[in-house]
Amino acid sequence: RLHGASDAALRRRCGPTGGRANLVAAMIRSTEEKAMKKTSAITCLFLDVGGVLLTNGWDHLARRRAAKYFNLQWTEMEDRHRLVFETHEEGKITFEEYLARVVFYKKRPFTRSQFRSFMFAQSKPYSEMLDLVAQLKVRHELKIAVVSNESREVNAYRIRKFKLAGVVDSFISSCFVHIRKPDADIFRLALDIAQTPARHVLYIENTPMFVQIAEGLGIRSILHTDYKSTCAKLASFGLHK
């Protein structure tokens, strides 16, 4: 019925004097447009976690709060963090090794358990975004893959605490794959794991450079700033909530 209605609309646009040639040409254009939409349809979402689904797990603001709460010397702690954080996020040193190098290289009046609990407590959900992704997955039958830079322990806590595994099909986390953004190989690996061509993937990310890198690989992307604007951008790709 819909196809018939579409054909009728084409005949009206051609007009009574348009002739059979115009009608055929219009129908061919319509068919080509439908085929193009189908070949570029989004079937998979790549998502960042920190800044998109959840707050950042252990960014400079969280570290500054920790320094204040535990009465640590901020500059010294931050300098030591910068020396090891890439290695930590790539899963090449353990959480305990990270703590030993950044905080517990000297005796402290608090325990590792207390510091760990404080770190984990910095993670909060963006509930609207979590609900949105869950709705889109069901409504549009999407694959969902996370592409994120996170240490293993923080990543595991966030997956468990916020039940991300109930929505996400694959976690391409830096701590698992030993590559981190901005290395373009993490996106290539994500495409291989998702078994989805780049033209069918849409990436939601809040860091402009990472958006540009993904787009350079043919992955269409949304620079996330807030829930409302991301909903509008998703709708422009045919992904209505």
Side-chain angles (χ1 to χ4, degrees):
R1 187 169 64 253
L2 291 175
H3 182 71
S6 177
D7 289 349
L10 288 171
R11 292 189 187 95
R12 286 195 297 273
R13 286 199 296 270
C14 290
T17 60
R20 182 177 295 276
N22 287 341
L23 175 59
V24 170
M27 293 182 71
I28 291 172
R29 284 196 300 272
S30 177
T31 301
E32 289 175 345
E33 287 171 2
K34 290 175 184 176
M36 287 181 64
K37 287 181 179 179
K38 186 174 181 180
T39 57
S40 62
I42 301 300
T43 62
C44 179
L45 287 183
F46 284 0
L47 304 171
D48 189 20
V49 176
V52 176
L53 300 180
L54 311 175
T55 58
N56 288 319
W58 188 233
D59 63 4
H60 70 283
L61 296 175
R63 296 192 298 275
R64 188 176 285 277
R65 289 192 293 270
K68 182 177 181 180
Y69 184 83
F70 290 103
N71 196 27
L72 299 170
Q73 211 288 321
W74 159 251
T75 304
E76 184 178 6
M77 175 184 166
E78 189 65 4
D79 286 345
R80 295 179 76 93
H81 166 82
R82 287 175 180 171
L83 290 173
V84 301
F85 85 98
E86 289 188 10
T87 307
H88 187 218
E89 286 190 343
E90 289 176 354
K92 296 176 181 177
I93 63 172
T94 68
F95 188 64
E96 292 302 318
E97 288 172 324
Y98 171 83
L99 291 180
R101 296 176 189 184
V102 176
V103 180
F104 293 96
Y105 54 91
K106 63 172 73 173
K107 188 172 178 61
R108 300 295 187 185
F110 51 87
T111 66
R112 292 186 182 218
S113 179
Q114 289 172 321
F115 195 85
R116 182 188 299 107
S117 295
F118 184 92
M119 285 182 68
F120 291 168
Q122 304 313 298
S123 293
K124 307 293 182 186
Y126 291 128
S127 298
E128 284 185 321
M129 286 300 298
L130 288 169
D131 290 343
L132 174 63
V133 170
Q135 291 169 15
L136 292 174
K137 178 183 175 71
V138 173
R139 180 167 186 175
H140 298 282
E141 299 181 340
L142 300 174
K143 294 180 186 176
I144 307 292
V146 154
V147 184
S148 67
N149 291 345
E150 286 191 339
S151 66
R152 180 175 290 269
E153 288 75 7
V154 170
N155 192 45
Y157 169 79
R158 283 148 72 87
I159 291 171
R160 181 177 66 254
K161 173 69 175 178
F162 302 104
K163 299 179 173 59
L164 299 185
V167 177
V168 177
D169 298 298
S170 305
F171 290 91
I172 299 87
S173 303
S174 61
C175 58
F176 298 152
V177 301
H178 310 304
I179 315 168
R180 63 189 300 279
K181 298 176 286 188
D183 190 332
D185 278 350
I186 196 169
F187 295 104
R188 295 187 180 100
L189 182 60
L191 291 169
D192 287 341
I193 290 172
Q195 285 294 287
T196 304
R199 67 181 181 276
H200 291 304
V201 177
L202 180 64
Y203 179 43
I204 304 177
E205 164 68 64
N206 70 323
T207 302
M209 179 188 287
F210 300 162
V211 165
Q212 292 165 357
I213 292 168
E215 289 178 337
L217 297 174
I219 300 170
R220 289 172 287 176
S221 303
I222 292 174
L223 179 61
H224 175 75
T225 55
D226 60 81
Y227 170 78
K228 186 175 180 180
S229 64
T230 292
C231 283
K233 292 170 186 174
L234 283 163
S236 73
F237 288 102
L239 300 177
H240 300 272
K241 62 179 181 177

